[in-house]
Amino acid sequence: DAKTTQPTSMDCAEGRAANLPCNHSTISGNEYVYWYRQIHSQGPQYIIHGLKNNETNEMASLIITEDRKSSTLILPHATLRDTAVYYCIVRVRYALNFGKGTSLLVTP
Amino acid sequence: DSGVTQTPKHLITATGQRVTLRCSPRSGDLSVYWYQQSLDQGLQFLIQYYNGEERAKGNILERFSAQQFPDLHSELNLSSLELGDSALYFCASSVGLGTTKEKETQYFGPGTRLLVL
């Protein structure tokens, strides 16, 4: 299984871009990178996913390096409501393998 | 709102008892997944059903079982409950099978918080 490595925690000032890194050096060619977040004890919320190209949606941007060994989730203008645990997941068949994620704190 | 509904929101019961958690997937989704989130284990995949059939098993105890009905809703049955079963139980749904060759996004429900006393 491809594993991911994320920083335990990060801080970001409100209104600034939050850049959350993820290392997935053992990713296989057909495995997607997914990002979810969990606000307090709510259900995980899907953010974005990608294979090799950069992706953008209304919530965030996903930048994947050319060798696919790492990626960065970008929240362009973080708000206090973006405070959450962010999970970078390399899709392994059916299940999502949630690690410990990055706890992002957005401060005023 | 993901479109996935779970009932009940909270459940308090005693050791040795049996409970049933219910999940209704998003309209059109054929796959249902169950996850458990406890304080010490994080979010762990339990089991997946696709169109009524079991497709994949994760770290699901023998005391736990699940099924998916013809209307595609799913139930997770937990029996002989122990203190350590206290956790959040999440259901997720997706359109199809969720293999690595497909773009399959899982959408999660709000969860059921189970407390075993």
Side-chain angles (χ1 to χ4, degrees), chain A residues 34-95:
Chain A
Y34 279 77
W35 284 83
Y36 280 78
R37 73 180 181 183
Q38 188 174 26
I39 298 172
H40 195 46
S41 295
Q42 298 177 20
Q45 180 187 23
Y46 165 76
I47 301 174
I48 198 167
H49 70 278
L51 183 62
K52 55 179 75 174
N53 298 321
N54 298 338
E55 302 286 346
T56 295
N57 63 20
E58 64 278 4
M59 287 184 68
S61 295
L62 175 59
I63 309 297
I64 303 175
T65 58
E66 196 168 337
D67 63 8
R68 302 212 324 124
K69 292 185 177 182
S70 66
S71 61
T72 300
L73 178 74
I74 301 173
L75 307 178
H77 306 286
T79 70
L80 299 179
R81 287 178 294 181
D82 292 322
T83 292
V85 178
Y86 287 77
Y87 297 96
C88 169
I89 301 165
V90 173
R91 185 64 179 268
V92 179
R93 299 202 69 191
Y94 310 101

Side-chain angles (χ1 to χ4, degrees), chain B residues 30-103:
Chain B
L30 298 178
S31 271
V32 170
Y33 309 77
W34 287 97
Y35 291 81
Q36 178 194 54
Q37 185 173 33
S38 57
L39 281 175
D40 57 344
Q41 293 291 327
L43 265 158
Q44 290 202 310
F45 167 72
L46 295 178
I47 197 166
Q48 180 210 2
Y49 276 80
Y50 174 76
N51 204 21
E53 293 189 4
E54 181 185 305
R55 295 295 299 192
K57 263 186 175 181
N59 300 319
I60 188 166
L61 300 172
E62 284 191 12
R63 300 183 286 109
F64 296 0
S65 65
Q67 54 184 325
Q68 186 179 27
F69 295 87
D71 67 353
L72 300 177
H73 90 271
S74 178
E75 293 181 355
L76 179 67
N77 300 296
L78 315 176
S79 62
S80 303
L81 284 167
E82 302 175 359
L83 297 177
D85 298 326
S86 296
L88 278 165
Y89 291 84
F90 292 106
C91 166
S93 74
S94 70
V95 173
L97 283 172
T99 64
T100 55
K101 295 181 181 179
E102 302 171 24
K103 284 188 176 181

